Amino acid sequence: MIKLENASRTFQVGDELVHGLDDVTLEIKAGEYVSIMGPSGSGKSTLLNAIGLLDQLDKGHYFLDGKDTTKLSELELAKIRREKIGFVFQIFHLIPRLTAAENIALPLTLAGVEHDERNERVNDALKSLSLSDRAHHRPDQLSGGQRQRVAIARAVVTKPLVLLADEPTGNLDHASGVEVIDILEALNQQGITLLLVTHDAELGERAQRIIHMMDGKVLP
Amino acid sequence: MYLNDVIQFAFKAMYGARTRTYLMLLAMAIGVASVILLTSLGEGARLYVTQQFSSLGTNLLIVLPGRSETTGGMPPMTGETPRDLTLQDVMALQRSYHIKEVAPIVVGAAPVSYRQMEREVMITGTTASLFSVRELHMASGQFLPEQEMTRASPVCVLGRTLQTELFGNASPLGKWVRVGGYRCRVIGVLEEEGVALGMDLSDSLLMPAASAQTLFNINSVFRILVVARSQEVMDKARQDIIDIIRARHEGEDDITVLSQDALLSTFDRILTALTYSLGGIAAVSLLVAGIMIMNVMLVAAAQRTAEIGLLKALGAPRRQIILLFLTESACLSMIGALLGLIFGLGGNQVLQLYFPDFPFQAPDWALWAAVGIALFTGLLFGLLPARHAANLNPVLALSGR
Ligand SMILES: Nc1ncnc2c1ncn2[C@@H]1O[C@H](COP(=O)(O)OP(=O)(O)OP(=O)(O)O)[C@@H](O)[C@H]1O
Ligand SMILES: [Mg+2]
């Protein structure tokens, strides 16, 4: 479902060219659970951003669901992100002035999902992440683990094909971290393709498949 | 995305940054309110002047000595002083078929005293015809007597203010007052009248024109008020005046004939221009408010960089982000404009309480223009920050780099 062919992404830093991704060829099947590990600066986030279509490749091709994304317009890329991809970030990225429920509803609101259906889906998401009693709390009234659960709910409320989590446990204590990974794995069990970047070897080992990266390359 | 969701999003963002929201609303409101208040002043002045002139009476022509440039004629080539108008000129005018009535005006200031009370007031020398020319009303007694224009007689009529100052509540009728070195008998008191043409008759003493000339030791007449027989013959009456005076002044056109309409339209033009320029000055404050909106929205876009990155990650295309930000600045300017309308119109009401004679009334165009410019600047200056936000690179925005 995700297929990268000779994908490269370089950054210009001063006079130097830094290889964020260096000739990566990679295939990930629907429903897989993949953890991406590697030292800092090895290109894990760059890979995830490219797969999430937040960033574009300089060279090579990226096929998502059989479709070459390299030639798509800004509008089409936005549509794919909206419909097929869910993001979970290390620092949650919740909007502070919105309640948990409103944060979760945000992608549906942006997509123009009608009010009643939106409420229904937000309530389902709140329930399945045991956040129902926190629906009307703002992020600053929630614990780190709860915030990340809200962020996960927001990522999956649109029923995406792929869930991209970039160090989702990086800002959490061990117990909340394990809890978050449990939730992600449960979602993977329900069929979502899960890509998880982590520094924590113990958590990373739990994936079916582990991709090791180094200097922008995927190690065999 | 539904419009009402877009608006809700904007309102939550505005509420999320209350201080800046209040400041911007204030700036917008002040801009709109000042447009309304300043144009109201201009428009009020115009209405005020119009009312003043209409109270002069209709079909009125005013004759003054000397050629004035306001008539569009050439100023005299030679430096000779214009001939004075005399009471004989006034009587000659009465012969015109197109002229219904003529009233000379002789003015000067003199001390007026009754017993211990003395006041320096404006003396108006005129004839009985002023009564109908100016459409005056008597509070008591009668107006100046119908008599030969060149005859002086020791009678006078008091304006209301002057009467109270000299006599208080007592009736002045039949009493003798001293005017300069002369004495005259009070035969009437005028009803309170509006100020017209700068002549405040309520603070004046009226006496026969010939008496006033004797008092001031002059032969000339300050103005001649002429009433034409009808609106249609105004032009003919004007021509008659010019012809008659020319014949009497040895072929010289040395008078100016103003009509109320001409005066009115001149003032109307001047005061309308004044209103526009006041409005223009106030519009600058709207522009300032617009620039403030731009600044604040740019700061907002910077503060909300991560949020913009998130919106992009959630699948919002550029144009949706532009829409969200533009809606925010549009809401700010719209609410600001509404507040400005309330402040401005409310301010008019308050001023009206303090100055009941002066009509504070914002012209309709100013209301539309104020709100229109507010919205336009809000949107225009909101566009740049909105585009800035939409063009952010989502990866950088999210990573806070
Ligand atoms: N926008 C950018 N500009 C310049 N260099 C960049 C940019 N983004 C990434 N890089 C560089 O690309 C390389 C890979 O970065 P990336 O963020 O993918 O690493 P990472 O594996 O996610 O590291 P970490 O574990 O610290 O998050 C790094 O050397 C980084 O400095
Ligand atoms: Mg990273």
Side-chain angles (χ1 to χ4, degrees), chain A residues 11-13 18-20 38-47 166-167 199, chain B residues 396 401:
Chain A
F11 300 102
Q12 179 103 36
V13 182
V18 178
H19 292 276
S40 186
S42 57
K44 306 181 294 293
S45 297
T46 308
L47 176 65
D166 195 346
E167 300 188 41
H199 273 119
Chain B
L396 297 184
R401 262 188 276 205

